[in-house]
Amino acid sequence: MNIITLILFIAGFVLLVVGAEILVKGASQLALVAGVSPLVIGLTIVAYCTSAPELAVALQSSYDGQADIALGNIVGSNIANILLILGISATMLPLVVSRQLVRLDVPLMIAISFLLLFMSLDGQLGRVDGSILLAGAIAYSLFTIIQSRKENQEIRDQDTPQTKSRQSRTSLKKIVTQLGLIVFGLGMLVLGSRWLINGAIAMAKMFGWSELIIGLTIIAVGTSLPEIATSIIASVRGERDLAVGNAIGSNIFNILLVLGMCSLIVPDGIQVSTPALNFDIPVMIAVAVACLPIFFTGYQISRWEGFLFLSYYGAYTLYLFLNATQHQALSQFSTIMMTFVVPLTIVTLVILVMGSIRTSIKSG
């Protein structure tokens, strides 16, 4: 890997992050003009925008015949969105979880994660699979936005005619401005994704790592940087429901929208490797399922739960590298995780849920 490739790799990261940041700001303001709640902004507009790097990378790598990078990027990003992003955000400040997330969005995230596993059993995500996933993305977006607008309709109806007229003139200017930002940000994402893919492939060859590992780690974290920045900023500014909604919404759109579009557009679809089918996708499902009991207990993510998320992400990343290098410590590490850590975590989650249910019964 020459110095030019390394420079382009770093520049690709920068373009992805900066482009996504511009795009997120434009889309967030556009959503506010439309009169929807911060949670819905996080679940839809911001989630769409912060999933744009994954979409750009997945499309580019799919067309270049690097299916492992495309799939690894999505699966790795979904794991990072929960364990890394929510972990970092919760350690800084406990996150508030909306009841809507627990009742609708998290169960939906779990369901589509299982759906992805089912669709991948034949080793390929084809156009039929892509059509189903993309239709799900459209239906979910419309339902969420329409539901939010209905809830906010009473507030908007209280405005005077003069206020509505001023808002209309201001809204038109904002819409034009934010659309320009969105287009500019998307352009940066497309260029950044191309440079990032070329650099990642060169790194894979230099270190002897598989493209799946590169997609699951370096690119997954890189394309998740917009989600990291957005969630942390939202958490610090007090928009903690937006922080959680951004991560959950991004996971939903990564599967429904990104994999849906790639499977539909790319002629040969996306090939699903055996390691991804046997390990990485099940890990993604396990992480999604773990959200439900943690979110349900007190409808928040506490600091210690944030540290738990981060420790598991560290363990997952360590396993990937031990497995990629076939390190002699891999067997011992796997035994410790499966014999002690995972069962202990499951028992802890069950105790938390039972305690939460008992508290709810007593207060009811």
Side-chain angles (χ1 to χ4, degrees):
M1 182 175 66
N2 56 42
I3 187 65
I4 295 178
T5 303
L6 180 60
I7 292 174
L8 289 178
F9 179 78
I10 297 173
F13 265 130
V14 173
L15 284 178
L16 280 172
V17 175
V18 175
E21 181 67 21
I22 294 174
L23 193 150
V24 165
K25 288 182 178 180
S28 297
Q29 292 299 318
L30 194 62
L32 289 174
V33 174
V36 294
S37 68
L39 176 62
V40 173
I41 292 174
L43 285 169
T44 56
I45 306 298
V46 176
Y48 262 121
C49 294
T50 53
S51 290
E54 285 89 344
L55 176 60
V57 169
L59 285 174
Q60 184 64 52
S61 56
S62 297
Y63 272 111
D64 291 342
Q66 308 295 334
D68 273 350
I69 287 183
L71 183 64
N73 173 42
I74 298 304
V75 175
S77 291
N78 278 20
I79 295 172
N81 283 345
I82 301 300
L83 298 183
L84 180 62
I85 295 174
L86 291 185
I88 292 175
S89 300
T91 55
M92 297 179 61
L93 192 67
L95 298 176
V96 176
V97 178
S98 168
R99 291 180 182 270
Q100 175 188 329
L101 287 174
V102 176
R103 294 172 180 174
L104 174 63
D105 302 293
V106 173
L108 177 61
M109 178 180 66
I110 295 172
I112 63 173
S113 298
F114 276 105
L115 177 62
L116 176 61
L117 178 62
F118 176 76
M119 288 180 170
S120 303
L121 292 178
D122 60 354
Q124 183 183 30
L125 294 173
R127 288 185 172 176
V128 174
D129 300 324
S131 300
I132 295 173
L133 293 175
L134 190 57
I138 296 172
Y140 172 74
S141 302
L142 291 176
F143 172 81
T144 304
I145 293 175
I146 292 173
Q147 187 67 22
S148 176
R149 287 183 63 85
K150 285 182 178 179
E151 293 174 356
N152 293 330
Q153 186 63 47
E154 293 183 3
I155 298 176
R156 294 196 301 272
D157 288 343
Q158 295 175 359
D159 292 336
T160 64
Q162 293 80 5
T163 302
K164 291 180 180 179
S165 178
R166 289 194 300 270
Q167 289 176 344
S168 178
R169 291 193 297 270
T170 304
S171 296
L172 181 59
K173 294 180 181 179
K174 286 184 177 180
I175 287 174
V176 173
T177 302
Q178 306 314 323
L179 283 176
L181 289 175
I182 290 173
V183 172
F184 182 66
L186 283 173
M188 296 181 70
L189 288 173
V190 172
L191 181 60
S193 67
R194 179 177 292 275
W195 290 351
L196 189 65
I197 289 298
N198 292 336
I201 294 173
M203 289 181 63
K205 293 179 180 179
M206 182 178 70
F207 291 106
W209 298 342
S210 69
E211 292 168 357
L212 177 62
I213 297 299
I214 294 294
L216 286 165
T217 55
I218 297 175
I219 297 181
V221 173
T223 54
S224 291
L225 288 176
E227 285 95 331
I228 294 175
T230 302
S231 294
I232 290 177
I233 292 172
S235 177
V236 171
R237 292 180 179 177
E239 297 285 355
R240 289 180 284 177
D241 54 349
L242 190 150
V244 182
N246 172 41
I248 301 301
S250 182
N251 277 17
I252 292 173
F253 286 123
N254 279 347
I255 296 176
L256 294 180
L257 178 66
V258 179
L259 286 182
M261 288 189 65
C262 290
S263 303
L264 191 60
I265 294 175
V266 177
D268 297 330
I270 298 179
Q271 302 298 319
V272 181
S273 66
T274 302
L277 185 61
N278 292 341
F279 178 73
D280 301 295
I281 294 178
V283 168
M284 182 189 71
I285 293 174
V287 170
V289 172
C291 286
L292 203 54
I294 288 179
F295 288 9
F296 177 73
T297 53
Y299 292 96
Q300 69 171 1
I301 307 174
S302 62
R303 281 194 170 93
W304 80 266
E305 290 168 335
F307 280 114
L308 180 65
F309 277 165
L310 286 177
S311 63
Y312 266 102
Y313 188 74
Y316 170 72
T317 304
L318 178 58
Y319 174 84
L320 290 179
F321 280 105
L322 290 176
N323 185 58
T325 58
Q326 289 299 303
H327 196 278
Q328 59 182 4
L330 176 62
S331 178
Q332 295 176 341
F333 178 78
S334 301
T335 301
I336 293 173
M337 290 296 296
M338 297 305 298
T339 306
F340 299 103
V341 179
V342 173
L344 182 61
T345 303
I346 294 174
V347 171
T348 302
L349 292 176
V350 170
I351 293 174
L352 287 174
V353 171
M354 295 299 295
S356 180
I357 293 174
R358 190 180 299 111
T359 302
S360 299
I361 294 174
K362 288 182 179 179
S363 62

